[in-house]
Structures are given as C-alpha cells and as structure tokens.
Amino acid sequence: MHIAYWIVAALLAVFYVYGGGKKVLQSQEELRPMMGWVDQVPMPAVRAIGALEVLGAAGLVLPPLTGIAVGCAVAAAVGLVLIQVGGIVVHVSRGETKVIALNIALLVAAGAAAWLATDWL
C-alpha cells in the first residue's frame, strides 16, 4: 500500500506543482491558451486555486515523508478532490464537457491517494 501511495502521490504532486505554479506565476494572457476559463474567473481566485494546488501537492508528500501529522496527507488529497469537483463544474458550465476527462482522472487519482493514505492513520 505504501508503494502504491507514493506512486500516486508523486505523480499528483508533480502535476499540481506544475499546474498550480503556472496559475500562481503566469499572467492571464499567458494562461489563456491553455486555460480558457481564466477569462471568467478573477485572477486573485486563479492565483488562490494555484496556491491551493501547490499546497495540496506538498501536503501529499511532506507529512508521510517526515512522519509528522501524516493525517494531513488525507486532508490534502481530499482538498485536491474538491478542486477537481470545482474544475468539473466550471467546465460543464462553460459547455466544455469534452475536456473534463483530465479533471475526472485527477479526481480519481486524488481519491485513491486519500484512500491509500488512510493506511498511515
């Protein structure tokens, strides 16, 4: 179970550090080609989503790695599930149902991470 958790958590962490970092650091114009929804969401909210994604990535990796507050890994994974639920809602509201496959895959992976992390509780 620990190996499975680390595989899922590492993949999610890499994805969320990259995607969240882009949301935090890049301008609206730079994000627009990849994330058309940034025109409908205020940039402070986009930056907050990015920050939450980066913090979620850290929460998946650091607590189990250090052995401190390992329950935070479950909370981080659940938080990432909620971010993807929000992403699905935004895409569906924009009529972009064809692009939610990635959101669903990330939601399932974060859910699996949450389940696998309960082994440390």
Side-chain angles (χ1 to χ4, degrees), residues 54-71:
V54 172
L55 289 172
L60 288 175
V61 175
L62 293 178
L65 191 63
T66 61
I68 300 170
V70 292

Side-chain angles (χ1 to χ4, degrees), residues 91-120:
H91 285 304
V92 169
S93 71
R94 289 174 43 92
E96 301 171 339
T97 56
K98 293 182 181 181
V99 299
I100 63 171
L102 178 60
N103 297 93
I104 292 169
L106 291 169
L107 185 147
V108 169
W115 176 70
L116 291 166
T118 59
D119 190 38
W120 275 301

Side-chain angles (χ1 to χ4, degrees), residues 12-64:
L12 284 171
V14 167
F15 180 86
Y16 281 112
V17 166
Y18 174 75
K22 286 179 76 73
K23 290 178 187 95
V24 169
L25 299 173
Q26 291 186 335
S27 69
Q28 187 175 26
E29 292 75 29
E30 292 171 310
L31 292 172
R32 189 176 297 119
M34 198 168 146
M35 303 172 203
W37 56 270
V38 297
D39 288 334
Q40 292 182 326
V41 177
M43 277 311 286
V46 174
R47 302 251 187 261
I49 292 166
L52 290 172
E53 289 176 351
V54 172
L55 289 172
L60 288 175
V61 175
L62 293 178

